[in-house]
Amino acid sequence: VRVVVRSLTKSFRGQPVLRGIDLEVAPGELLVLMGPSGSGKSVFLRHLIGLETPDSGEVLIDGAAPTEELRARLRLAMVFQSGGLLNSLTVAQNVGLYLSEHRLAPPAEIERIVMEKLALVRLAPDAAGKLPAELSGGMRRRAAIARALTMDPQLILVDEPTAELDPLVALAIGREIVSLNRRTRATTIVVTHDRDLAFGI
């Protein structure tokens, strides 16, 4: 999908957070936005998925505003900064949650899709039965990306994928994001404060 942002402006409690942002992301492109913590990167992502309304300007996803209907039709996926895995569910249950909650496939098919997506992010099959607390930080991030991939998204937004990870794991996550973008052809936007990740991608 093509993402177009025109003169996007947002203030919070009278203080500007986003000021006149203009950008265009071509279909299948991988874009990295880098900035320090508190500079408005996550706020920007929330505008892209329609969770926030700008004070002025517009966001267009394939020429339309990001409504709930558009998000579902275009299969937009978000990988949250914390990973967002549910601690009471196994990795496999977390990754297959979207499919099972919406009854999009029978259990056997969901299991096949889950294992396929875990393999895509290079998580070993034995990780599927583990709880998130039993995984390293890097493995939890990979599981969160796998969960986003179960809907075969056309647009993937990734918020601070290397926060709290050591540099070597962060570099591996960066390589994984590049590899997934090449394989899935999904338009991908990554926001980060990590200079090494940004320039690595």
mmCIF file with all atom_site columns, all heavy atoms in Angstrom, residues 74-75 113 116-117 120 148-155 186:
data_model
loop_
_atom_site.group_PDB
_atom_site.id
_atom_site.type_symbol
_atom_site.label_atom_id
_atom_site.label_alt_id
_atom_site.label_comp_id
_atom_site.label_asym_id
_atom_site.label_entity_id
_atom_site.label_seq_id
_atom_site.pdbx_PDB_ins_code
_atom_site.Cartn_x
_atom_site.Cartn_y
_atom_site.Cartn_z
_atom_site.occupancy
_atom_site.B_iso_or_equiv
_atom_site.pdbx_formal_charge
_atom_site.auth_seq_id
_atom_site.auth_comp_id
_atom_site.auth_asym_id
_atom_site.auth_atom_id
_atom_site.pdbx_PDB_model_num
ATOM 1   N N   . LEU A 1 74  ? -7.262 -3.611  4.307  1.00 0.00 ? 74  LEU A N   1
ATOM 2   C CA  . LEU A 1 74  ? -5.877 -3.598  3.846  1.00 0.00 ? 74  LEU A CA  1
ATOM 3   C C   . LEU A 1 74  ? -4.951 -4.431  4.729  1.00 0.00 ? 74  LEU A C   1
ATOM 4   O O   . LEU A 1 74  ? -3.766 -4.530  4.461  1.00 0.00 ? 74  LEU A O   1
ATOM 5   C CB  . LEU A 1 74  ? -5.353 -2.158  3.804  1.00 0.00 ? 74  LEU A CB  1
ATOM 6   C CG  . LEU A 1 74  ? -6.004 -1.237  2.780  1.00 0.00 ? 74  LEU A CG  1
ATOM 7   C CD1 . LEU A 1 74  ? -5.378 0.143   2.836  1.00 0.00 ? 74  LEU A CD1 1
ATOM 8   C CD2 . LEU A 1 74  ? -5.888 -1.807  1.371  1.00 0.00 ? 74  LEU A CD2 1
ATOM 9   N N   . ARG A 1 75  ? -5.509 -5.020  5.792  1.00 0.00 ? 75  ARG A N   1
ATOM 10  C CA  . ARG A 1 75  ? -4.732 -5.860  6.708  1.00 0.00 ? 75  ARG A CA  1
ATOM 11  C C   . ARG A 1 75  ? -3.498 -5.106  7.221  1.00 0.00 ? 75  ARG A C   1
ATOM 12  O O   . ARG A 1 75  ? -2.368 -5.426  6.901  1.00 0.00 ? 75  ARG A O   1
ATOM 13  C CB  . ARG A 1 75  ? -4.349 -7.173  6.029  1.00 0.00 ? 75  ARG A CB  1
ATOM 14  C CG  . ARG A 1 75  ? -5.535 -7.982  5.556  1.00 0.00 ? 75  ARG A CG  1
ATOM 15  C CD  . ARG A 1 75  ? -5.145 -9.378  5.126  1.00 0.00 ? 75  ARG A CD  1
ATOM 16  N NE  . ARG A 1 75  ? -4.089 -9.441  4.161  1.00 0.00 ? 75  ARG A NE  1
ATOM 17  C CZ  . ARG A 1 75  ? -4.245 -9.289  2.845  1.00 0.00 ? 75  ARG A CZ  1
ATOM 18  N NH1 . ARG A 1 75  ? -5.438 -9.063  2.351  1.00 0.00 ? 75  ARG A NH1 1
ATOM 19  N NH2 . ARG A 1 75  ? -3.214 -9.384  2.031  1.00 0.00 ? 75  ARG A NH2 1
ATOM 20  N N   . ILE A 1 113 ? -0.390 -22.169 10.097 1.00 0.00 ? 113 ILE A N   1
ATOM 21  C CA  . ILE A 1 113 ? -0.019 -20.778 9.828  1.00 0.00 ? 113 ILE A CA  1
ATOM 22  C C   . ILE A 1 113 ? 0.938  -20.266 10.902 1.00 0.00 ? 113 ILE A C   1
ATOM 23  O O   . ILE A 1 113 ? 1.933  -19.603 10.599 1.00 0.00 ? 113 ILE A O   1
ATOM 24  C CB  . ILE A 1 113 ? -1.282 -19.884 9.747  1.00 0.00 ? 113 ILE A CB  1
ATOM 25  C CG1 . ILE A 1 113 ? -2.117 -20.266 8.511  1.00 0.00 ? 113 ILE A CG1 1
ATOM 26  C CG2 . ILE A 1 113 ? -0.903 -18.406 9.716  1.00 0.00 ? 113 ILE A CG2 1
ATOM 27  C CD1 . ILE A 1 113 ? -3.483 -19.627 8.469  1.00 0.00 ? 113 ILE A CD1 1
ATOM 28  N N   . GLU A 1 116 ? 4.349  -21.619 10.404 1.00 0.00 ? 116 GLU A N   1
ATOM 29  C CA  . GLU A 1 116 ? 4.938  -20.990 9.213  1.00 0.00 ? 116 GLU A CA  1
ATOM 30  C C   . GLU A 1 116 ? 5.474  -19.602 9.550  1.00 0.00 ? 116 GLU A C   1
ATOM 31  O O   . GLU A 1 116 ? 6.588  -19.242 9.152  1.00 0.00 ? 116 GLU A O   1
ATOM 32  C CB  . GLU A 1 116 ? 3.861  -20.881 8.126  1.00 0.00 ? 116 GLU A CB  1
ATOM 33  C CG  . GLU A 1 116 ? 4.278  -20.137 6.883  1.00 0.00 ? 116 GLU A CG  1
ATOM 34  C CD  . GLU A 1 116 ? 3.102  -19.935 5.942  1.00 0.00 ? 116 GLU A CD  1
ATOM 35  O OE1 . GLU A 1 116 ? 2.721  -20.898 5.249  1.00 0.00 ? 116 GLU A OE1 1
ATOM 36  O OE2 . GLU A 1 116 ? 2.552  -18.821 5.931  1.00 0.00 ? 116 GLU A OE2 1
ATOM 37  N N   . LYS A 1 117 ? 4.703  -18.815 10.324 1.00 0.00 ? 117 LYS A N   1
ATOM 38  C CA  . LYS A 1 117 ? 5.129  -17.459 10.677 1.00 0.00 ? 117 LYS A CA  1
ATOM 39  C C   . LYS A 1 117 ? 6.283  -17.488 11.678 1.00 0.00 ? 117 LYS A C   1
ATOM 40  O O   . LYS A 1 117 ? 7.189  -16.638 11.612 1.00 0.00 ? 117 LYS A O   1
ATOM 41  C CB  . LYS A 1 117 ? 3.960  -16.646 11.239 1.00 0.00 ? 117 LYS A CB  1
ATOM 42  C CG  . LYS A 1 117 ? 2.770  -16.513 10.306 1.00 0.00 ? 117 LYS A CG  1
ATOM 43  C CD  . LYS A 1 117 ? 3.141  -16.064 8.904  1.00 0.00 ? 117 LYS A CD  1
ATOM 44  C CE  . LYS A 1 117 ? 1.921  -15.964 8.001  1.00 0.00 ? 117 LYS A CE  1
ATOM 45  N NZ  . LYS A 1 117 ? 2.258  -15.713 6.593  1.00 0.00 ? 117 LYS A NZ  1
ATOM 46  N N   . LEU A 1 120 ? 9.271  -18.014 9.711  1.00 0.00 ? 120 LEU A N   1
ATOM 47  C CA  . LEU A 1 120 ? 9.627  -16.802 8.969  1.00 0.00 ? 120 LEU A CA  1
ATOM 48  C C   . LEU A 1 120 ? 10.518 -15.880 9.798  1.00 0.00 ? 120 LEU A C   1
ATOM 49  O O   . LEU A 1 120 ? 11.414 -15.220 9.272  1.00 0.00 ? 120 LEU A O   1
ATOM 50  C CB  . LEU A 1 120 ? 8.369  -16.036 8.565  1.00 0.00 ? 120 LEU A CB  1
ATOM 51  C CG  . LEU A 1 120 ? 7.849  -16.178 7.135  1.00 0.00 ? 120 LEU A CG  1
ATOM 52  C CD1 . LEU A 1 120 ? 6.614  -15.318 6.942  1.00 0.00 ? 120 LEU A CD1 1
ATOM 53  C CD2 . LEU A 1 120 ? 8.906  -15.834 6.107  1.00 0.00 ? 120 LEU A CD2 1
ATOM 54  N N   . ALA A 1 148 ? 2.016  -10.383 14.051 1.00 0.00 ? 148 ALA A N   1
ATOM 55  C CA  . ALA A 1 148 ? 1.576  -9.384  13.077 1.00 0.00 ? 148 ALA A CA  1
ATOM 56  C C   . ALA A 1 148 ? 1.481  -9.978  11.677 1.00 0.00 ? 148 ALA A C   1
ATOM 57  O O   . ALA A 1 148 ? 0.618  -9.600  10.879 1.00 0.00 ? 148 ALA A O   1
ATOM 58  C CB  . ALA A 1 148 ? 2.530  -8.195  13.080 1.00 0.00 ? 148 ALA A CB  1
ATOM 59  N N   . LEU A 1 149 ? 2.346  -10.945 11.377 1.00 0.00 ? 149 LEU A N   1
ATOM 60  C CA  . LEU A 1 149 ? 2.384  -11.522 10.035 1.00 0.00 ? 149 LEU A CA  1
ATOM 61  C C   . LEU A 1 149 ? 1.252  -12.501 9.761  1.00 0.00 ? 149 LEU A C   1
ATOM 62  O O   . LEU A 1 149 ? 1.000  -12.833 8.604  1.00 0.00 ? 149 LEU A O   1
ATOM 63  C CB  . LEU A 1 149 ? 3.722  -12.242 9.814  1.00 0.00 ? 149 LEU A CB  1
ATOM 64  C CG  . LEU A 1 149 ? 4.965  -11.351 9.772  1.00 0.00 ? 149 LEU A CG  1
ATOM 65  C CD1 . LEU A 1 149 ? 6.215  -12.205 9.684  1.00 0.00 ? 149 LEU A CD1 1
ATOM 66  C CD2 . LEU A 1 149 ? 4.893  -10.368 8.608  1.00 0.00 ? 149 LEU A CD2 1
ATOM 67  N N   . THR A 1 150 ? 0.552  -12.976 10.816 1.00 0.00 ? 150 THR A N   1
ATOM 68  C CA  . THR A 1 150 ? -0.495 -13.985 10.582 1.00 0.00 ? 150 THR A CA  1
ATOM 69  C C   . THR A 1 150 ? -1.633 -13.462 9.718  1.00 0.00 ? 150 THR A C   1
ATOM 70  O O   . THR A 1 150 ? -2.330 -14.241 9.084  1.00 0.00 ? 150 THR A O   1
ATOM 71  C CB  . THR A 1 150 ? -1.093 -14.507 11.915 1.00 0.00 ? 150 THR A CB  1
ATOM 72  O OG1 . THR A 1 150 ? -1.625 -13.410 12.661 1.00 0.00 ? 150 THR A OG1 1
ATOM 73  C CG2 . THR A 1 150 ? -0.056 -15.259 12.722 1.00 0.00 ? 150 THR A CG2 1
ATOM 74  N N   . MET A 1 151 ? -1.815 -12.148 9.701  1.00 0.00 ? 151 MET A N   1
ATOM 75  C CA  . MET A 1 151 ? -2.895 -11.596 8.871  1.00 0.00 ? 151 MET A CA  1
ATOM 76  C C   . MET A 1 151 ? -2.422 -11.276 7.452  1.00 0.00 ? 151 MET A C   1
ATOM 77  O O   . MET A 1 151 ? -3.169 -10.691 6.676  1.00 0.00 ? 151 MET A O   1
ATOM 78  C CB  . MET A 1 151 ? -3.480 -10.343 9.543  1.00 0.00 ? 151 MET A CB  1
ATOM 79  C CG  . MET A 1 151 ? -2.460 -9.282  9.748  1.00 0.00 ? 151 MET A CG  1
ATOM 80  S SD  . MET A 1 151 ? -2.942 -7.863  10.800 1.00 0.00 ? 151 MET A SD  1
ATOM 81  C CE  . MET A 1 151 ? -4.663 -7.944  10.989 1.00 0.00 ? 151 MET A CE  1
ATOM 82  N N   . ASP A 1 152 ? -1.179 -11.685 7.118  1.00 0.00 ? 152 ASP A N   1
ATOM 83  C CA  . ASP A 1 152 ? -0.597 -11.355 5.815  1.00 0.00 ? 152 ASP A CA  1
ATOM 84  C C   . ASP A 1 152 ? -0.783 -9.873  5.497  1.00 0.00 ? 152 ASP A C   1
ATOM 85  O O   . ASP A 1 152 ? -1.403 -9.490  4.503  1.00 0.00 ? 152 ASP A O   1
ATOM 86  C CB  . ASP A 1 152 ? -1.211 -12.222 4.705  1.00 0.00 ? 152 ASP A CB  1
ATOM 87  C CG  . ASP A 1 152 ? -0.787 -13.668 4.822  1.00 0.00 ? 152 ASP A CG  1
ATOM 88  O OD1 . ASP A 1 152 ? 0.364  -13.917 5.215  1.00 0.00 ? 152 ASP A OD1 1
ATOM 89  O OD2 . ASP A 1 152 ? -1.610 -14.547 4.525  1.00 0.00 ? 152 ASP A OD2 1
ATOM 90  N N   . PRO A 1 153 ? -0.236 -9.001  6.355  1.00 0.00 ? 153 PRO A N   1
ATOM 91  C CA  . PRO A 1 153 ? -0.501 -7.565  6.224  1.00 0.00 ? 153 PRO A CA  1
ATOM 92  C C   . PRO A 1 153 ? 0.128  -6.945  4.989  1.00 0.00 ? 153 PRO A C   1
ATOM 93  O O   . PRO A 1 153 ? 1.155  -7.394  4.501  1.00 0.00 ? 153 PRO A O   1
ATOM 94  C CB  . PRO A 1 153 ? 0.133  -6.980  7.499  1.00 0.00 ? 153 PRO A CB  1
ATOM 95  C CG  . PRO A 1 153 ? 1.227  -7.940  7.833  1.00 0.00 ? 153 PRO A CG  1
ATOM 96  C CD  . PRO A 1 153 ? 0.705  -9.293  7.444  1.00 0.00 ? 153 PRO A CD  1
ATOM 97  N N   . GLN A 1 154 ? -0.532 -5.891  4.521  1.00 0.00 ? 154 GLN A N   1
ATOM 98  C CA  . GLN A 1 154 ? 0.007  -5.100  3.420  1.00 0.00 ? 154 GLN A CA  1
ATOM 99  C C   . GLN A 1 154 ? 0.763  -3.888  3.944  1.00 0.00 ? 154 GLN A C   1
ATOM 100 O O   . GLN A 1 154 ? 1.533  -3.281  3.213  1.00 0.00 ? 154 GLN A O   1
ATOM 101 C CB  . GLN A 1 154 ? -1.131 -4.659  2.499  1.00 0.00 ? 154 GLN A CB  1
ATOM 102 C CG  . GLN A 1 154 ? -1.813 -5.822  1.793  1.00 0.00 ? 154 GLN A CG  1
ATOM 103 C CD  . GLN A 1 154 ? -3.087 -5.379  1.107  1.00 0.00 ? 154 GLN A CD  1
ATOM 104 O OE1 . GLN A 1 154 ? -4.146 -5.267  1.714  1.00 0.00 ? 154 GLN A OE1 1
ATOM 105 N NE2 . GLN A 1 154 ? -2.991 -5.105  -0.179 1.00 0.00 ? 154 GLN A NE2 1
ATOM 106 N N   . LEU A 1 155 ? 0.511  -3.536  5.213  1.00 0.00 ? 155 LEU A N   1
ATOM 107 C CA  . LEU A 1 155 ? 1.210  -2.429  5.863  1.00 0.00 ? 155 LEU A CA  1
ATOM 108 C C   . LEU A 1 155 ? 1.581  -2.867  7.275  1.00 0.00 ? 155 LEU A C   1
ATOM 109 O O   . LEU A 1 155 ? 0.719  -3.305  8.039  1.00 0.00 ? 155 LEU A O   1
ATOM 110 C CB  . LEU A 1 155 ? 0.324  -1.177  5.913  1.00 0.00 ? 155 LEU A CB  1
ATOM 111 C CG  . LEU A 1 155 ? 0.872  0.028   6.679  1.00 0.00 ? 155 LEU A CG  1
ATOM 112 C CD1 . LEU A 1 155 ? 2.178  0.523   6.068  1.00 0.00 ? 155 LEU A CD1 1
ATOM 113 C CD2 . LEU A 1 155 ? -0.160 1.149   6.718  1.00 0.00 ? 155 LEU A CD2 1
ATOM 114 N N   . ALA A 1 186 ? 5.476  -6.246  2.015  1.00 0.00 ? 186 ALA A N   1
ATOM 115 C CA  . ALA A 1 186 ? 4.557  -5.357  2.726  1.00 0.00 ? 186 ALA A CA  1
ATOM 116 C C   . ALA A 1 186 ? 5.241  -4.009  2.953  1.00 0.00 ? 186 ALA A C   1
ATOM 117 O O   . ALA A 1 186 ? 6.418  -3.957  3.304  1.00 0.00 ? 186 ALA A O   1
ATOM 118 C CB  . ALA A 1 186 ? 4.149  -5.963  4.066  1.00 0.00 ? 186 ALA A CB  1
#
